[in-house]
């Protein structure tokens, strides 16, 4: 999607969008705030375009603020807009030191991850909790988005390129040309011509599993070629060595199942939280380490808390907003 054309004069719609972005980034947004933003965006394509433009400006501002921080700039320093933007944002200088400091030089996550971040909301395709969606990006490329997944289109003249902002997606590429499909995820690049693969991007860690064919994963000048049932992980710590995995287990979410083999309960709860409304929090360190072996149906995760209570004798405390404490 192209950025709305801007002139040197005021742009009321973009100003409104910036107000929304700053309100959600610098304040303490509630669910009502998020719902109101969604209604504002739905008013017209122009509203949606303005929101995306405002989100892009904030991303650029955050990156610029980080660069200044690296140069030991003071928190009160004002960060300049990218060269392509010719207008000042007056009081919404999203880029001022206060906003940069509040943003922590990155896109902040909402409390408990209970609603999407600004970056996720600005994606071209996004799924909510428990939602899955299949998208045909081209006649020879399809992407299935798992729960809480955000994907953006990043087209270039010579290749089909998308970005996995966060979440998990299964990709089927059947390219008829010599130009591969490229998926960006964090600071890495995944490419495939004739392949099926699963990509997962959560908490700064990206894992890629080849389900069929050949997939190439690159990061920081290093690359790994994956074949069927092989997986590789990368993060700011670097690209790890590939290893064999159970591909059916990795892709089980596409059939409505979550399969866990010798997984700590803390890890299982993290995964269940991506599908289930509300948030489960384990407050007992020993309970977090208990191992889980089992298969759960995605559409029956409301029973998960009761199952843990029965299996491990956990004490359950339910709080408003769907928050559950396990101890």
């Amino acid at each position: 999607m192209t950025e709305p054309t801007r002139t040197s004069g005021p742009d009321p719609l973009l100003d409104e969008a910036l107000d929304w972005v700053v309100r959600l980034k610098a304040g303490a947004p509630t669910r009502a705030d998020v719902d109101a933003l969604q209604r504002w965006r739905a008013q017209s394509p122009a509203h949606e375009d303005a929101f995306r433009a405002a989100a892009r400006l904030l991303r650029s501002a955050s990156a610029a603020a980080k660069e200044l921080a690296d140069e030991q700039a003071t928190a009160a320093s004002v960060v300049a807009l990218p060269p392509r933007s010719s207008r000042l944002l007056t009081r919404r200088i999203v880029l001022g030191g206060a906003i940069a400091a509040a943003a922590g030089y990155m896109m902040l996550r909402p409390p408990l991850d209970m609603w999407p971040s600004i970056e996720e909301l600005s994606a071209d395709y996004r799924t909510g909790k428990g939602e899955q969606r299949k998208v045909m990006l081209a006649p020879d490329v399809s992407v299935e988005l798992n729960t809480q997944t955000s994907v953006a289109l990043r087209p270039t003249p010579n290749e089909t390129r998308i970005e996995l902002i966060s979440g998990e997606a299964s990709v089927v590429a059947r390219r008829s040309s010599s130009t591969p499909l490229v998926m960006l995820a964090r600071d890495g690049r995944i490419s495939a011509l004739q392949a099926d693969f699963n990509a997962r991007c959560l908490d700064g860690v990206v894992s890629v599993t080849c389900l069929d064919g050949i997939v190439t994963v690159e990061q920081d000048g290093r690359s790994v070629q994956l074949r069927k049932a092989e997986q590789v992980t990368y993060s700011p710590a670097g690209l790890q060595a590939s290893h064999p995995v159970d591909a059916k287990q990795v892709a089980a979410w596409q059939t409505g199942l979550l399969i866990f083999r010798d997984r700590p309960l803390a890890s299982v709860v993290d995964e269940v939280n991506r599908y289930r409304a509300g948030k489960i929090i384990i407050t007992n360190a020993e309970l977090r380490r208990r191992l889980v072996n089992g298969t759960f149906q995605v559409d029956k995760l409301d029973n998960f808390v009761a199952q843990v209570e029965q299996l491990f004798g956990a004490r359950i405390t339910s709080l408003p907003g769907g928050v559950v404490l396990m101890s």
Side-chain angles (χ1 to χ4, degrees), residues 258 260 268-276 280 301 304:
L258 297 180
F260 302 105
V268 172
V269 165
D270 285 344
E271 186 67 12
V272 168
N273 276 334
R274 299 181 58 234
Y275 296 82
R276 179 187 172 278
I280 301 172
L301 289 178
F304 177 79

Side-chain angles (χ1 to χ4, degrees), residues 71-88:
E71 297 171 2
Q72 299 183 337
T74 64
S77 297
V78 175
V79 182
L81 276 171
R84 65 178 178 177
S85 180
S86 59
R87 61 189 294 269
L88 295 177

Side-chain angles (χ1 to χ4, degrees), residues 13-28:
L13 206 55
L14 183 57
D15 282 348
E16 288 185 44
L18 286 164
D19 277 335
W20 276 111
V21 168
V22 173
R23 188 184 314 174
L24 266 65
K25 293 297 296 177

Side-chain angles (χ1 to χ4, degrees), residues 18-314:
L18 286 164
D19 277 335
W20 276 111
V21 168
V22 173
R23 188 184 314 174
L24 266 65
K25 293 297 296 177
T30 64
R31 167 61 64 180
D33 291 330
V34 175
D35 290 343
L37 168 60
Q38 297 292 55
R39 289 194 296 272
W40 184 89
R41 293 173 62 190
Q43 289 183 61
S44 73
H47 284 74
E48 176 67 11
D49 286 349
F51 175 79
R52 293 180 186 276
R56 285 193 292 269
L57 287 174
L58 183 58
R59 285 199 294 271
S60 298
S62 297
K66 186 178 185 303
E67 289 182 10
L68 283 189
D70 291 341
E71 297 171 2
Q72 299 183 337
T74 64
S77 297
V78 175
V79 182
L81 276 171
R84 65 178 178 177
S85 180
S86 59
R87 61 189 294 269
L88 295 177
L89 299 183
T90 62
R91 70 182 185 283
R92 285 175 289 285
I93 288 205
V94 188
L95 333 325
I99 296 299
Y105 312 116
M106 66 179 73
M107 301 303 294
L108 287 176
R109 300 290 305 181
L112 301 183
D113 288 342
M114 292 183 70
W115 56 74
S117 68
I118 288 291
E119 188 176 31
E120 291 166 336
L121 285 170
S122 64
D124 292 289
Y125 301 102
R126 186 176 66 83
T127 53
K129 274 200 173 186
E131 180 186 4
Q132 294 177 351
R133 179 182 180 188
K134 190 169 185 177
V135 179
M136 293 297 298
L137 298 181
D140 52 7
V141 177
S142 67
V143 178
E144 186 168 358
L145 281 63
N146 197 3
T147 178
Q148 287 191 300
T149 297
S150 299
V151 171
L153 303 178
R154 301 285 187 248
T156 64
N158 299 318
E159 64 184 18
T160 300
R161 180 183 293 188
I162 59 176
E163 179 183 1
L164 178 60
I165 297 173
S166 65
E168 183 173 28
S170 179
V171 179
V172 176
R174 297 290 182 269
R175 305 294 282 167
S176 55
S177 67
S178 59
T179 304
L181 164 76
V182 172
M183 172 180 277
L184 307 177
R186 297 298 178 185
D187 59 345
R189 173 185 169 105
I190 308 158
S191 58
L193 277 172
Q194 299 277 332
D196 300 356
F197 66 90
N198 192 90
R200 183 180 174 95
C201 178
L202 294 171
D203 301 322
V205 177
V206 178
S207 62
V208 184
T209 305
C210 180
L211 305 177
D212 195 25
I214 299 175
V215 179
T216 301
V217 182
E218 304 167 78
Q219 186 211 35
D220 289 339
R222 296 186 58 210
S223 67
V224 171
Q225 196 170 77
L226 301 177
R227 297 182 183 276
K228 186 175 182 178
E230 291 182 338
Q231 183 182 89
V232 72
T233 299
Y234 64 84
S235 67
L239 183 66
Q240 306 301 309
S242 61
H243 59 275
V245 294
D246 183 345
K248 290 183 179 179
Q249 182 177 330
V250 172
W253 62 267
Q254 293 180 264
T255 60
L257 299 176
L258 297 180
I259 302 175
F260 302 105
R261 297 288 180 263
D262 293 323
R263 288 271 292 275
L265 181 60
S267 174
V268 172
V269 165
D270 285 344
E271 186 67 12
V272 168
N273 276 334
R274 299 181 58 234
Y275 296 82
R276 179 187 172 278
K279 186 84 171 183
I280 301 172
I281 302 171
I282 305 177
T283 61
N284 182 293
E286 183 180 350
L287 184 61
R288 291 175 61 86
R289 293 190 292 267
R290 298 292 294 271
L291 297 181
V292 176
N293 284 281
T295 299
F296 300 87
Q297 292 179 258
V298 170
D299 59 357
K300 294 183 179 179
L301 289 178
D302 287 341
N303 301 326
F304 177 79
V305 172
Q307 290 173 313
V308 172
E309 181 180 23
Q310 182 178 14
L311 183 62
F312 297 122

